[in-house]
Amino acid sequence: MERDPTYASVLNGGNRPTYASVLQKNNNPAYPSILSGDSTVDRMLRRGKQPVAAIFIHAGAGFHSIANEGVHLEACSEAARVGMMFLKNGASATEAVEAAIKCLEDQEITNAGFGSNLNIEGVVEGDATIVDYLGRSGACGACPGIKNPISLAKMILDHSCRPLSLRRVPPNILVGVGAKGFAEEHGMASTLNDNLISRNAKERFLRWTEDLRKAESRLMPAPTACALDSASTAATLTGTWNEGQPDSPRPLRNASQGIPQNPLDLAAPVFQVPGSHTSAKRLKNLSDGPISRPTRRGEPSFDGQSHDGTAINDGGLPNAVGAQLPGEPVEASDPGQELGNPDVYRETQKKDKVTDTVGAIAIDLKGRIAAGSSSGGIGMKHTGRIGPAALVGVGTAVIPEDAEDPDRTSVAAVTSGTGEHMATTLASSKCAERLFYGTRRGPGGRNIEEDDEQILMESFIMADFMGHPGVKPSPTAGAIGVMAVKKDRGGIWFYFAHNTDSFALASMSTSDREPLCVMSRLGKDRKVSQGARKIRLD
C-alpha cells in the first residue's frame, strides 16, 4: 500500500531526512517560532535550559506473538521517531500525536487504518479521537473509506474551534457517512473499501464468517468440556480468539495441575529493536538494584522495583513483568510439554491476538500535552458500532492544567481493550483522574488518598475496571491496557498497566537518541503488569 507522501521520506530509512514540511515551519507564519510569546520557554532559555518534549506510543493490548514481537515494536519505534521529529521542529503536541498515530495506521500489523478488522458486512469502519492541551477534542466513529481516521479527527478538532454562520455550534464528533462527507467537503480524499483491506484482515473475516455461519445454523453440537478445550486451542492457533467477543472460546486450565492450557499465559523475552540504543544490557541495568529516592506526591513511588518486579529508572522503560531478557532462562523448561504438544505451542507463538486500539501521548516544547487513539474495532462488529477510540473519556482523556495551579499539573491517558467495558467504566478519564488527584477506590466505592502510583494503577484496573458493577457480571472478558502521562514542574511521569497477555509500548524524549521500547508481558500467576518512567525537565 502506498505511503502518504507527507512523511514517506522519513520512513524510507537510511539517513531519515527531515520532512520538508516540518523544516519549512520556522519560515511559515502559520507555525510561529517556539520562542514567540511563550514565557515558559523564554524563561528556560534565559536560564540556559533547553525545553523538553516527549512522545509515548502503544500498539494495542492483547497478545503479541513471539514471532511478530519485533514487528510490533518496530512499528512503535518508528511512530515515536516520527512524532519526535515533529516535536523537535516546533510542532504542537496534537500535530505530533496525529503524525505518530498516522504512522501506526499505515502499518498492516496494527488494527487501525489499513489492515483494520472488518465489520460484519466486510467493511473497514475506523474510529479515532484526538484531544488537545485544553481538553478540546475531535473524533470520528464508524467512518468508512478514510485511510487515516486520526487525520480526520484532527481536522474535526481544528474546525470545531472556528465559528459557523447563524451561531451554529461546530461538531467535535462525527460518525458514519456524515464523517466521510465532512472529510470530502474539507479536502480529505476518501478511498475504496478494498484499498483498506489487508490480506490478513480478509483471511480473518472469511474465517470468522464461516464460524458465525456454523454457530447461527446450529450445526455445532453442544460442546463438552473436552470439546471446549479443543476449541480454545483451535481458536488460539487460528487467531480467532478475541478478548472483546463473548462467544470466543476462552482458554481453559488443567484442573489437576493448575497449568494454563494456553500459551498466552506464558512469559516471553523482551524485544530489542535492531539498531536501537536500548540494548539488552541497558535494559538489564534497570533492575540491577533499587533506586533510592524519597517518595513525594506527584512522583512515582516505584522504588526501583515494583511490588511485582517491574524495574524503572530515569532513563528507560521497565523490564516487563514476568518477562525474560535475552539469554535469561524461561520459567517453564519446556512450555510445549505443558500444552501436551510442543508443536502446538510453537505454532501458537506465531499468531497475534491483538484486535485493539493504538494510541499516543505527546508533550511539546511549550509543555502542552495532547493524546489520541485510533482503531478498526473488534472483528465482525455490528455495522455502525462506535468503539472507545472514538469516545472522549473512554479511549482518550486529557485533564488540562489550571492557570492558577503552581505545579502546572496536567494528565493524559489512553486505553485499549474491551471497548464496551471501557465505556461502562469511563476508563481513560477515570485513570487520568486517579493520577491527577492521587486517589484510589476504597471501601464502599469512596475515594481515598494514595501516594503510591503503583498501587493506584493496579487499583484502577482491579477495582475501577474489573470491579465495576457493570463489568463483574458480564460474560465478556474484561481486558484493558492503559498508558498515562502526568506532567508537572518536577518532570514528566510515564505509567502503563495492563491485565492482557501483552502490551507494546515505546517512549522518546528530546534527550533520547533512539526510542525506548518494551513488550510488557503478564507472565504466569499475575493479574496486572505495569511499569513507569520519569523524564526530567532539567
Side-chain angles (χ1 to χ4, degrees), residues 184-236:
E184 294 172 337
E185 178 184 343
H186 292 87
M188 179 178 291
S190 60
T191 187
L192 297 175
N193 185 58
D194 288 349
N195 294 334
L196 301 176
I197 301 175
S198 67
R199 179 178 58 83
N200 287 334
K202 185 175 182 179
E203 289 178 356
R204 289 196 303 268
F205 173 75
L206 294 175
R207 187 167 60 243
W208 287 340
T209 298
E210 179 63 14
D211 291 343
L212 183 63
R213 184 190 65 80
K214 291 179 179 179
E216 293 190 344
S217 63
R218 301 184 182 276
L219 294 179
M220 302 177 68
T224 62
C226 180
L228 281 174
D229 183 54
S230 176
S232 174
T233 301
T236 302

Side-chain angles (χ1 to χ4, degrees), residues 455-525:
I455 295 176
L456 185 152
M457 292 293 286
E458 182 167 351
S459 174
F460 161 71
I461 290 183
M462 298 307 299
D464 292 318
F465 183 72
M466 298 297 291
H468 190 281
V471 174
K472 288 176 69 175
S474 174
T476 306
I480 189 170
V482 60
M483 180 178 78
V485 174
K486 180 178 182 179
K487 181 196 72 70
D488 59 25
R489 295 178 62 184
I492 299 169
W493 320 93
F494 170 49
Y495 308 90
F496 69 85
H498 60 100
N499 67 355
T500 57
D501 294 283
S502 56
F503 201 18
L505 305 110
S507 71
M508 188 177 187
S509 73
T510 46
S511 61
D512 295 327
R513 295 180 61 187
E514 292 287 340
L516 303 176
C517 303
V518 67
M519 180 66 75
S520 176
R521 294 192 181 273
L522 193 61
K524 299 173 66 174
D525 303 321

Side-chain angles (χ1 to χ4, degrees), residues 192-339:
L192 297 175
N193 185 58
D194 288 349
N195 294 334
L196 301 176
I197 301 175
S198 67
R199 179 178 58 83
N200 287 334
K202 185 175 182 179
E203 289 178 356
R204 289 196 303 268
F205 173 75
L206 294 175
R207 187 167 60 243
W208 287 340
T209 298
E210 179 63 14
D211 291 343
L212 183 63
R213 184 190 65 80
K214 291 179 179 179
E216 293 190 344
S217 63
R218 301 184 182 276
L219 294 179
M220 302 177 68
T224 62
C226 180
L228 281 174
D229 183 54
S230 176
S232 174
T233 301
T236 302
L237 288 175
T238 58
T240 58
W241 184 75
N242 188 333
E243 298 194 43
Q245 293 175 323
D247 291 335
S248 293
R250 296 291 300 166
L252 301 181
R253 291 180 176 270
N254 185 313
S256 62
Q257 302 178 29
I259 296 174
Q261 294 297 301
N262 190 330
L264 308 188
D265 293 330
L266 301 175
V270 171
F271 172 75
Q272 165 57 29
V273 176
S276 169
H277 290 272
T278 315
S279 64
K281 183 177 186 298
R282 183 172 183 182
L283 285 172
K284 270 193 173 183
N285 287 340
L286 303 186
S287 58
D288 284 344
I291 302 167
S292 299
R293 64 170 183 264
T295 297
R296 60 179 177 84
R297 179 172 293 280
E299 179 173 347
S301 52
F302 302 89
D303 297 326
Q305 292 284 335
S306 74
H307 295 174
D308 54 6
T310 307
I312 66 159
N313 75 356
D314 293 341
L317 284 168
N319 294 338
V321 174
Q324 281 69 40
L325 288 164
E328 293 185 344
V330 180
E331 288 181 349
S333 58
D334 186 353
Q337 290 182 358
E338 295 186 349
L339 293 171

Side-chain angles (χ1 to χ4, degrees), residues 8-348:
S9 60
V10 179
L11 302 179
N12 285 335
N15 295 326
R16 300 189 183 277
T18 307
Y19 303 59
S21 60
V22 174
L23 289 177
Q24 291 170 359
K25 286 186 178 180
N26 292 334
N27 299 320
N28 188 338
Y31 297 96
S33 168
I34 62 171
L35 305 182
S36 61
D38 187 90
S39 58
T40 303
V41 175
D42 288 338
R43 283 199 305 270
M44 293 181 71
L45 292 178
R46 283 197 297 269
R47 296 172 185 171
K49 298 178 180 179
Q50 294 295 321
V52 175
I55 185 84
F56 307 90
I57 305 292
H58 82 77
F63 173 72
H64 304 75
S65 71
I66 305 303
N68 288 335
E69 186 171 292
V71 181
H72 287 287
L73 287 183
E74 182 57 36
C76 289
S77 180
E78 193 63 53
R81 290 190 192 100
V82 169
M84 182 51 61
M85 184 171 293
F86 270 74
L87 292 171
K88 284 184 175 179
N89 283 278
S92 68
T94 50
E95 290 170 325
V97 165
E98 178 193 3
I101 293 181
K102 191 174 181 181
C103 181
L104 292 172
E105 288 175 336
D106 288 348
Q107 300 286 337
E108 180 181 351
I109 196 74
T110 65
N111 179 33
F114 175 68
S116 291
N117 284 329
L118 309 184
N119 69 12
I120 200 164
E121 295 181 356
V123 177
V124 172
E125 291 186 325
D127 299 332
T129 298
I130 193 164
V131 186
D132 72 4
Y133 71 103
L134 295 176
R136 300 174 299 190
S137 62
C140 59
C143 186
I146 296 299
K147 177 174 175 284
N148 295 111
I150 191 65
S151 294
L152 177 53
K154 175 65 162 53
M155 177 184 285
I156 294 171
L157 168 62
D158 292 341
H159 282 80
S160 71
C161 301
R162 304 172 187 173
L164 295 177
S165 59
L166 299 179
R167 298 184 179 181
R168 290 175 296 150
V169 178
N172 64 358
I173 180 170
L174 292 169
V175 300
V177 294
K180 181 181 179 182
F182 182 92
E184 294 172 337
E185 178 184 343
H186 292 87
M188 179 178 291
S190 60
T191 187
L192 297 175
N193 185 58
D194 288 349
N195 294 334
L196 301 176
I197 301 175
S198 67
R199 179 178 58 83
N200 287 334
K202 185 175 182 179
E203 289 178 356
R204 289 196 303 268
F205 173 75
L206 294 175
R207 187 167 60 243
W208 287 340
T209 298
E210 179 63 14
D211 291 343
L212 183 63
R213 184 190 65 80
K214 291 179 179 179
E216 293 190 344
S217 63
R218 301 184 182 276
L219 294 179
M220 302 177 68
T224 62
C226 180
L228 281 174
D229 183 54
S230 176
S232 174
T233 301
T236 302
L237 288 175
T238 58
T240 58
W241 184 75
N242 188 333
E243 298 194 43
Q245 293 175 323
D247 291 335
S248 293
R250 296 291 300 166
L252 301 181
R253 291 180 176 270
N254 185 313
S256 62
Q257 302 178 29
I259 296 174
Q261 294 297 301
N262 190 330
L264 308 188
D265 293 330
L266 301 175
V270 171
F271 172 75
Q272 165 57 29
V273 176
S276 169
H277 290 272
T278 315
S279 64
K281 183 177 186 298
R282 183 172 183 182
L283 285 172
K284 270 193 173 183
N285 287 340
L286 303 186
S287 58
D288 284 344
I291 302 167
S292 299
R293 64 170 183 264
T295 297
R296 60 179 177 84
R297 179 172 293 280
E299 179 173 347
S301 52
F302 302 89
D303 297 326
Q305 292 284 335
S306 74
H307 295 174
D308 54 6
T310 307
I312 66 159
N313 75 356
D314 293 341
L317 284 168
N319 294 338
V321 174
Q324 281 69 40
L325 288 164
E328 293 185 344
V330 180
E331 288 181 349
S333 58
D334 186 353
Q337 290 182 358
E338 295 186 349
L339 293 171
N341 186 342
D343 294 332
V344 170
Y345 172 76
R346 283 191 289 269
E347 180 64 23
T348 302

